[in-house]
Amino acid sequence: MAEQPCLGPPASPAAPNPQTHPRDKWSKKMDFLLSVVGFAVDLGNVWRFPYICYQNGGGAFLIPYTLMAVFGGVPLFYMELALGQFHRTGAIPIWKRICPIFKGIGFAICIIGLYVSFYYNTIIAWALYYFYSSFSGTLPWASCDNPWNTPDCTNYFGKSNVTWTNFSRSPAEEFYTRKVLEIQKSGGLYDIGGIRWQLLLCLFLIFTIVYFSLWKGVKTSGKVVWVTATLPYVVLLILLIRGATLPGAWRGVVFYLRPDWGKLLSTAVWVDAAAQIFFSLGPGFGVLLALASYNHFHNNCYRDALVTSAVNCLTSFLSGFVIFTVLGYMAEMRDVEVEDVARDKGPSLLFITYPEAIANMVGSTFFAIIFFLMMITLGLDSTFGGLEAVITAVMDEYPQVLAGRRELFVLGLITVCFLGSLSTLTYGGAYVVKLLEEFGAGCSILAVVLLETIAVSWFYGIQRFSHDVKAMLGFTPGLFWKLCWVAISPALLAFIVISSLLDQPPLTLFEYQYPEWSISVGFLIGASSFICIPLYMVYKLVWTPGSLKQVRKKIPVCGVICSTFGFSSSTQSMSILH
């Protein structure tokens, strides 16, 4: 049976053929919006944006960030929502209708989704451990009088004549490294040690929540996000008000927003801005495709894209105030500059710096409980989206096998994710988390998004895609969106990928320098997902009937140009068949 043509004249503005099996629909429009916001707003909004903002010029960074969002992130966000809603299928089978030879993109997206689940849920498990530990009169990371503390532990809050040196370690840092992770029992990646049973239990509870939120599809997950997507905003508001009343809070805000215009001349700042917006909005992970595929055909996905992406960016900006009011307070207490306090980045900002400040506030137990509850809900939302992308893609690709067996398939997927996470629960698990975070979904996901954009805009054709959007919304995307999809967004993505590959700083964590062999393993992890794309192309070329010359005639190069710029040619409607 022949598939939709890969190249050629625009298709008629009609919905795709109805599916054999009835497809779930969102019960309410807000279920969908909250699911998209919940996926896009994750732990990275709380720590990555504030850190990158102050590192790259403070208030001046907002200029490249906004430009990258307008010309790169939001257009691709809109494209993915429109693709998912029109074709109403997941990330793998959708390529049968767009351009079959690029079907490897769908498999690559699923593999990246698995890699992310292997480490991301472990970070949520750490938050759950902190959440449990917060139910005490005195927080366990508030003093240096615990069995896990060392002579380097220095508690300067409420004390005078305390000298803070480069060797000093706060009680919060030692709680994180020596109690939660017990990283002192690991010699590095050569010797990651045994599994921490407490973290194993926490991760099991996290995956149990994830399973019972996803097992029935969007009918259940759409209800759960009413709590997990809204609660973080309530907590952020409470923490912002509390942070603004702390002594020295103004120092943190000034440091956060003080513009350093000279930074704008640095290429690295623009790369960071582009990378931040793409990773924050999340095009390319298949999540937007999956969530939008459960929409009604005529849902206004254009408005949804603008609203949800704006909410995501504003949340990042708001999180900066929440974080930096507290960093200003800590700088005041340590009698040092804010820059010296803000050395921590990544998860360390969430598990060391902020908890340390909370431990020395009035009502510390309450603020610790709501802070880590916020982290858990932020993480769960993104996990729901990431795994739903894999579930939808695979179930839509193999409906004859998996139709009516969603509960069993989800259980199998959760089991695979749990087993794949075991290495991150060891004493040296933090080193594995860092490695997977850097390479599992780094350049590979950006390269996948780049190819996805090229396949849709150049091969499927921007005119055909615009006709699809008009069939749903009643109007054609404007010239701005078409220019972004065809040229500007792909150029930005290529710029980030090339810059990231050329500039590979040494990988370190807690003063541990990653060995060269681990970097090679990291590159193999990244390549293992992306390699699906060329491998599937080769497979398709080899297994398509006919000689190589006949096969080549089925993929004429000029078809790309004709389709992109709207020229019709009936001789160019052939495609590689499924």
Side-chain angles (χ1 to χ4, degrees):
M1 181 175 160
E3 293 177 338
Q4 293 281 350
C6 178
L7 306 172
S12 59
N17 294 330
Q19 295 168 325
T20 306
H21 302 279
R23 190 169 191 78
D24 284 344
K25 290 284 190 296
W26 296 103
S27 299
K28 298 186 182 69
K29 175 67 175 285
M30 281 302 296
D31 292 359
F32 166 69
L33 291 177
L34 289 175
S35 296
V36 173
V37 169
F39 161 70
V41 178
D42 67 347
L43 296 174
N45 290 76
V46 179
W47 67 260
R48 189 184 290 117
F49 177 83
Y51 175 80
I52 289 179
C53 186
Y54 89 74
Q55 185 186 46
N56 290 293
F61 177 75
L62 297 178
I63 295 175
Y65 179 78
T66 303
L67 290 175
M68 293 298 176
V70 170
F71 292 101
V74 178
L76 296 183
F77 196 89
Y78 177 22
M79 172 184 275
E80 281 217 353
L81 288 182
L83 283 171
Q85 183 170 304
F86 182 83
H87 294 285
R88 288 181 285 180
T89 190
I92 297 176
I94 195 172
W95 294 100
K96 300 175 186 176
R97 303 173 180 180
I98 296 177
C99 191
I101 201 170
F102 282 98
K103 191 174 178 180
I105 290 176
F107 292 107
I109 286 172
C110 291
I111 293 174
I112 291 172
L114 287 177
Y115 287 154
V116 172
S117 73
F118 290 166
Y119 74 84
Y120 193 80
N121 293 286
T122 297
I123 298 176
I124 308 174
W126 296 345
L128 182 59
Y129 187 96
Y130 269 86
F131 179 71
Y132 168 76
S133 302
S134 299
F135 287 90
S136 60
T138 302
L139 296 176
W141 59 86
S143 70
C144 293
D145 304 325
N146 303 290
W148 58 81
N149 291 127
T150 68
D152 290 328
C153 184
T154 305
N155 190 5
Y156 54 87
F157 278 93
K159 299 180 180 180
S160 58
N161 300 323
V162 174
T163 303
W164 187 267
T165 69
N166 290 332
F167 298 101
S168 299
R169 297 291 179 265
S170 69
E173 181 176 352
E174 292 204 342
F175 177 78
Y176 176 53
T177 58
R178 301 182 61 84
K179 175 61 176 174
V180 178
L181 303 179
E182 293 193 11
I183 205 165
Q184 73 274 11
K185 297 181 180 179
S186 167
L189 289 175
Y190 289 104
D191 177 25
I192 58 175
I195 292 177
R196 293 265 290 123
W197 69 265
Q198 295 93 335
L199 296 182
L200 181 71
L201 180 59
C202 288
L203 186 67
F204 179 79
L205 292 175
I206 292 296
F207 273 123
T208 301
I209 295 172
V210 172
Y211 174 73
F212 285 108
S213 299
L214 294 177
W215 70 323
K216 293 292 185 182
V218 295
K219 299 293 184 184
T220 52
S221 63
K223 298 296 178 288
V224 175
V225 292
W226 279 84
V227 176
T228 57
T230 56
L231 181 64
Y233 288 96
V234 176
V235 176
L236 278 175
L237 184 61
I238 294 173
L239 294 176
L240 177 62
I241 294 172
R242 182 67 185 103
T245 61
L246 294 171
W250 64 272
R251 292 176 60 186
V253 174
V254 169
F255 183 78
Y256 174 44
L257 294 180
R258 182 177 56 214
D260 182 357
W261 302 109
K263 290 274 191 179
L264 296 181
L265 301 176
S266 170
T267 305
V269 172
W270 293 83
V271 172
D272 283 348
Q276 171 61 24
I277 194 65
F278 281 116
F279 280 118
S280 180
L281 290 177
F285 284 93
V287 178
L288 303 176
L289 283 173
L291 297 179
S293 72
Y294 299 106
N295 275 336
H296 294 284
F297 185 72
H298 294 291
N299 173 65
N300 192 339
C301 58
Y302 171 67
R303 182 177 57 203
D304 295 345
L306 296 181
V307 170
T308 52
S309 55
V311 168
N312 175 72
C313 294
L314 289 174
T315 304
S316 296
F317 187 60
L318 172 67
S319 298
F321 289 97
V322 174
I323 295 295
F324 275 91
T325 52
V326 167
L327 293 183
Y329 164 63
M330 291 181 63
E332 187 86 0
M333 294 297 101
R334 287 189 188 180
D335 194 22
V336 296
E337 296 299 319
V338 179
E339 186 174 2
D340 297 325
V341 179
R343 290 177 302 174
D344 292 324
K345 61 178 179 177
S348 296
L349 186 63
L350 300 179
F351 292 109
I352 298 176
T353 312
Y354 209 91
E356 181 181 346
I358 288 176
N360 294 279
M361 295 179 186
V362 176
S364 57
T365 297
F366 168 74
F367 287 110
I369 289 172
I370 65 170
F371 177 72
F372 289 110
L373 181 61
M374 177 191 73
M375 286 180 58
I376 293 168
T377 55
L378 282 172
L380 284 174
D381 280 335
S382 296
T383 291
F384 294 160
L387 290 180
E388 184 59 57
V390 179
I391 294 166
T392 301
V394 177
M395 291 196 66
D396 286 349
E397 176 67 7
Y398 306 106
Q400 300 85 355
V401 179
L402 298 175
R405 298 184 177 91
R406 180 183 172 100
E407 292 90 345
L408 286 175
F409 175 67
V410 174
L411 179 61
L413 178 64
I414 294 294
T415 303
V416 169
C417 294
F418 181 77
L419 294 176
S421 304
L422 291 181
S423 62
T424 65
L425 304 175
T426 58
Y427 298 126
Y431 301 130
V432 182
V433 168
K434 179 73 171 178
L435 191 69
L436 287 172
E437 184 184 17
E438 286 290 322
F439 295 101
C443 281
S444 54
I445 190 64
L446 293 174
V448 165
V449 181
L450 173 60
L451 285 182
E452 178 185 319
T453 309
I454 290 173
V456 173
S457 300
W458 298 4
F459 287 80
Y460 185 68
I462 203 65
Q463 294 300 324
R464 181 185 297 175
F465 179 62
S466 298
H467 276 67
D468 294 346
V469 174
K470 185 177 181 180
M472 293 186 295
L473 307 184
F475 59 86
T476 303
L479 180 62
F480 166 77
W481 299 105
K482 293 179 182 180
L483 285 175
C484 288
W485 291 329
V486 171
I488 301 176
S489 296
L492 289 177
L493 285 165
F495 171 63
I496 305 171
V497 171
I498 294 171
S499 300
S500 301
L501 291 175
L502 292 178
D503 182 22
Q504 289 285 338
L507 195 59
T508 59
L509 181 68
F510 302 131
E511 300 177 357
Y512 172 74
Q513 182 80 36
Y514 279 69
E516 286 297 323
W517 66 265
S518 66
I519 306 300
S520 300
V521 170
F523 280 117
L524 287 175
I525 292 173
S528 65
S529 56
F530 186 78
I531 198 68
C532 292
I533 302 171
L535 283 180
Y536 189 85
M537 288 180 174
V538 172
Y539 158 78
K540 208 64 178 171
L541 289 170
V542 170
W543 285 95
T544 299
S547 65
L548 182 59
K549 185 176 180 180
Q550 291 172 321
V551 170
R552 288 177 61 190
K553 285 182 178 179
K554 295 179 182 180
I555 330 173
V557 176
C558 67
V560 177
I561 301 172
C562 295
S563 182
T564 300
F565 293 99
F567 302 123
S568 177
S569 173
S570 59
T571 62
Q572 291 160 358
S573 62
M574 296 296 293
S575 70
I576 291 185
L577 304 182
H578 176 57

